[in-house]
Amino acid sequence: MTPAEIDDAFHALADPTRRDIVRRTMTAQISVSALARDYPMSFAAVQKHVAVLERAHLVQKHRHGREQLVRAIPATIRRTTALLDQLESLWRDRIDRMDAVLADDDAADPARPSLTPHHPIPTRRKP
């Protein structure tokens, strides 16, 4: 994904209504009017949410008679999920390296007090 595509996808998914629209359209096509009935907002507002998702290529809309049907685009969702998985892996690796550095520091200087207590915190006695 290009940086612009990533920005569009994360911008689109930042809104809970848009995330719900994507979730609902993953399993079936849904008309914009059916979507609009389920949200406490105007039809026009739901159309705008769908347009943001379309620009991010997370959903596509097509006409079927008088209705505009919306369905998710699984390929874009998979690419976005893969990107999130990569970011998670990057941060987990960084945390693992920090843990290793802290463990090495503790082993090198056993006299230094630990940041975590080795004894339970006393509880208050009832009067």
Side-chain angles (χ1 to χ4, degrees):
M1 294 178 79
T2 68
E5 290 171 330
I6 293 167
D7 290 346
D8 288 346
F10 285 131
H11 168 74
L13 294 171
D15 183 88
T17 300
R18 292 192 291 262
R19 288 192 304 270
D20 190 57
I21 291 169
V22 169
R23 181 189 59 76
R24 292 177 61 197
T25 59
M26 285 293 292
T27 56
Q29 297 183 102
I30 303 175
S31 70
V32 176
S33 57
L35 288 168
R37 284 192 296 269
D38 294 333
Y39 299 110
M41 63 185 72
S42 69
F43 178 81
V46 172
Q47 282 184 309
K48 288 180 182 179
H49 281 300
V50 170
V52 170
L53 291 167
E54 279 186 293
R55 279 193 299 277
H57 304 287
L58 292 164
V59 302
Q60 62 186 19
K61 192 170 63 172
H62 70 279
R63 184 167 291 284
H64 184 267
R66 294 179 57 170
E67 293 185 312
Q68 292 281 339
L69 297 177
V70 180
R71 69 174 164 218
I73 302 174
T76 305
I77 295 166
R78 279 192 297 273
R79 286 194 307 270
T80 305
T81 301
L83 177 64
L84 287 171
D85 290 344
Q86 289 172 358
L87 292 171
E88 179 185 10
S89 177
L90 173 75
W91 281 104
R92 288 190 183 278
D93 289 346
R94 288 180 179 180
I95 290 169
D96 290 345
R97 287 195 308 263
M98 285 189 287
D99 285 345
V101 167
L102 292 173
D104 286 347
D105 283 352
D106 286 345
D109 188 2
R112 188 179 61 160
S114 173
L115 296 176
T116 57
H118 295 286
H119 52 82
I121 298 173
T123 57
R124 289 183 77 142
R125 291 185 183 164
K126 293 182 182 179

